[in-house]
Amino acid sequence: MQTSFTPAQLADADIREADGILRKCVHCGFCTATCPTYVLLGDELDSPRGRIYLIKHMLETDARAPATPARHLDRCLTCLSCMTTCPSGVNYMRLVDIARERMARGLRRPAMERMLRALLMRLLPRPGVFRLALLGAALARPFKALLPGRLGVMAAMAPKRLAPPSAVDRPQVFPAEGARRKRVALMTGCAQQVLRPSINEATVRLLTRLGCEVVVAEGAGCCGALAHHIGETAAAEAAARANVAAWERVMAAGGLDAIVVNASGCGTTVKDYAFLLRHDPVWAERGARIASLASDVSEVIDDLGLRGVRPMDNRPRARVIAYHAACSLQHGQRVREVPKRLLAEAGFEVREPAESHLCCGSAGVYNILQTDLALRLKERKAQRLAATGADVVATGNIGCWSQLQGASLMPVVHTVELLDWATGGPPPPEVSPFVGTSASVGS
Ligand code: SF4
Ligand code: SF4
């Protein structure tokens, strides 16, 4: 694609980066077929190629308050399916990051929209506050039809029950079982701690069982993805810097083989910390070092090798699992086969739904900001998952879990909960009623 930035514009590092990305696009349009918003809406401007043209125009003209690009970029899920499809290696993720950051500087959104975004920014990254908000939302659920706009949607989405806070999420060190093979830091995240604490609990059990010393670092918290995706750069950078500093302290205190992330949406962000922190060269370098250690939990387990899988006759009979590939894992991190292979090694029969490349509509807070499109994608995904005839849905991202558990008739669990179960841990909470005759399971 030809671009026409002026030398003055190209003096800006972000514009230079965008220029290089734009020039790789050959307009072939292969990406349109795999873009969920194009599949739903059939509008070129809601396809990756259309958005790339809008971004190019916005950046070339220094548009200050671009209403049309804003509408179409807001509808983009940042699912990155287009990056998987693109034969030219167009880095859409960085292009849309640059565009959203610029858009956030010039665009004045309607008052309600600004309030909603500010509310989400304050609630979700703070587990204590988020827990209180969910308890309040559960009380408001019977009156959801009376609540204005998307507050009603948020009340409807609040889980009916919340598990109590888990002790594993506090800063501490879990010793390895047997000889120590690795020392890793576990990112315990923010919303996941509240929505499904059993994921971090299963992760700690499994990693220690496989010989890892697991450190939950003091001072680590939200990865910054939420703020990043809505263009709140300063807040995203602050969250990233806090995590970098926290993990550097762990590294200094005893070395670190990996930073384990079990929410793939967060993992994609942490793996890109060098870019997120690019505005300060010192922090960019520190971010790059941390990013090089970040791994999805499935990658670390694969590296360690799954050991101690219970013989079939000693544990519940194998379940049929529908594997839902989170976009952030399959497109963002390009981790595609490992989780399925691990589940198969653990004795489960793994089935993939049709259209597994398409997003479920969760995409961070997309399901709150773009409710109609998110709902259509959720229902479409739930139908494809049901058609597999599986017993349980497994996924590697808390956002997908949250989106699908209300839509799917099957229990939805994290992949690591199934791997933990197969190697000696308790069954995931919703799966236990299905446990067969084995009385020994559920330790
Ligand atoms: S990130 Fe996803 S929604 Fe956005 S343009 Fe690419 S494929 Fe479409
Ligand atoms: S597939 Fe790649 S090169 Fe082709 S239009 Fe899409 S982004 Fe451009």
Side-chain angles (χ1 to χ4, degrees), residues 298 302 323 334-343 352:
S298 62
D302 192 43
Y323 176 69
R334 304 190 173 213
V335 176
R336 299 190 182 117
E337 298 307 317
V338 169
K340 291 182 281 182
R341 193 174 70 235
L342 288 172
L343 285 167
E352 266 192 280

Side-chain angles (χ1 to χ4, degrees), residues 319-323 339-341 343-344 348-352:
R319 299 283 153 204
V320 183
I321 307 297
Y323 176 69
K340 291 182 281 182
R341 193 174 70 235
L343 285 167
F348 298 103
E349 180 186 333
V350 183
R351 294 182 187 165
E352 266 192 280

Side-chain angles (χ1 to χ4, degrees), residues 31-344:
C31 52
T32 55
T34 59
C35 171
T37 53
Y38 184 77
V39 168
L40 289 186
L41 301 169
D43 181 345
E44 172 73 15
L45 293 181
D46 283 309
S47 77
R49 184 172 58 182
R51 291 186 176 113
I52 286 169
Y53 273 112
L54 289 172
I55 293 171
K56 169 177 142 54
H57 184 257
M58 184 181 92
L59 296 179
E60 282 177 345
T61 58
D62 288 324
R64 301 297 304 160
T68 302
R71 186 164 60 251
H72 298 290
L73 289 188
D74 281 353
R75 284 188 195 145
C76 168
L77 296 129
T78 329
C79 68
L80 308 180
S81 175
C82 47
M83 282 182 62
T84 296
T85 312
C86 176
S88 302
V90 172
N91 193 332
Y92 179 85
M93 179 171 80
R94 292 207 168 149
L95 186 66
V96 83
D97 279 350
I98 292 167
R100 283 190 174 136
E101 200 177 303
R102 298 213 159 213
M103 216 168 66
R105 285 185 217 154
L107 186 69
R108 187 150 179 85
R109 295 180 184 276
M112 276 302 286
E113 183 79 19
R114 290 203 307 275
M115 277 170 54
L116 180 63
R117 285 169 179 253
L119 184 69
L120 292 171
M121 285 271 302
R122 272 153 196 77
L123 289 183
L124 290 177
R126 298 177 176 85
V129 181
F130 184 43
R131 175 174 290 278
L132 285 177
L134 287 180
L135 292 171
L139 294 176
R141 187 202 304 276
F143 314 105
K144 61 179 188 273
L146 304 175
L147 291 172
R150 280 168 287 184
L151 287 181
V153 174
M154 288 164 72
M157 283 170 64
K160 293 192 182 76
R161 275 177 287 112
L162 277 185
S166 172
V168 303
D169 294 322
R170 291 199 286 267
Q172 59 195 298
V173 178
F174 297 92
E177 284 182 21
R180 188 178 95 178
R181 300 166 70 201
K182 280 183 191 290
R183 185 169 192 262
V184 303
L186 172 64
M187 178 176 203
T188 52
C190 49
Q192 176 169 287
Q193 290 182 23
V194 181
L195 291 170
R196 195 165 174 88
S198 55
I199 296 173
N200 286 343
E201 289 169 354
T203 304
V204 169
R205 278 194 303 268
L206 183 57
L207 288 173
T208 52
R209 193 180 299 132
L210 295 178
C212 292
E213 179 177 290
V214 180
V215 184
V216 177
E218 179 92 50
C222 172
C223 64
L226 165 68
H228 182 50
H229 289 312
I230 59 180
E232 296 287 345
T233 307
E237 287 176 349
R241 283 197 299 267
N243 284 336
V244 168
W247 291 323
E248 283 176 345
R249 287 192 292 275
V250 176
M251 219 184 302
L256 203 50
D257 297 307
I259 294 162
V260 179
V261 190
N262 58 13
S264 61
C266 309
T268 306
T269 300
V270 177
K271 285 182 175 181
D272 211 28
Y273 266 1
F275 181 73
L276 180 57
L277 295 170
R278 69 193 181 282
H279 300 304
D280 180 327
V282 174
W283 277 105
E285 199 181 320
R286 291 169 68 177
R289 204 175 321 124
I290 289 298
S292 70
L293 288 170
S295 294
D296 183 70
V297 63
S298 62
E299 295 177 290
V300 176
I301 295 166
D302 192 43
D303 190 33
L304 290 162
L306 200 59
R307 297 186 306 185
V309 173
R310 294 175 178 190
M312 283 300 197
D313 53 358
N314 260 357
R315 65 184 176 95
R317 62 189 168 78
R319 299 283 153 204
V320 183
I321 307 297
Y323 176 69
H324 165 66
C327 295
S328 43
L329 198 53
Q330 63 167 329
H331 303 307
Q333 299 182 45
R334 304 190 173 213
V335 176
R336 299 190 182 117
E337 298 307 317
V338 169
K340 291 182 281 182
R341 193 174 70 235
L342 288 172
L343 285 167

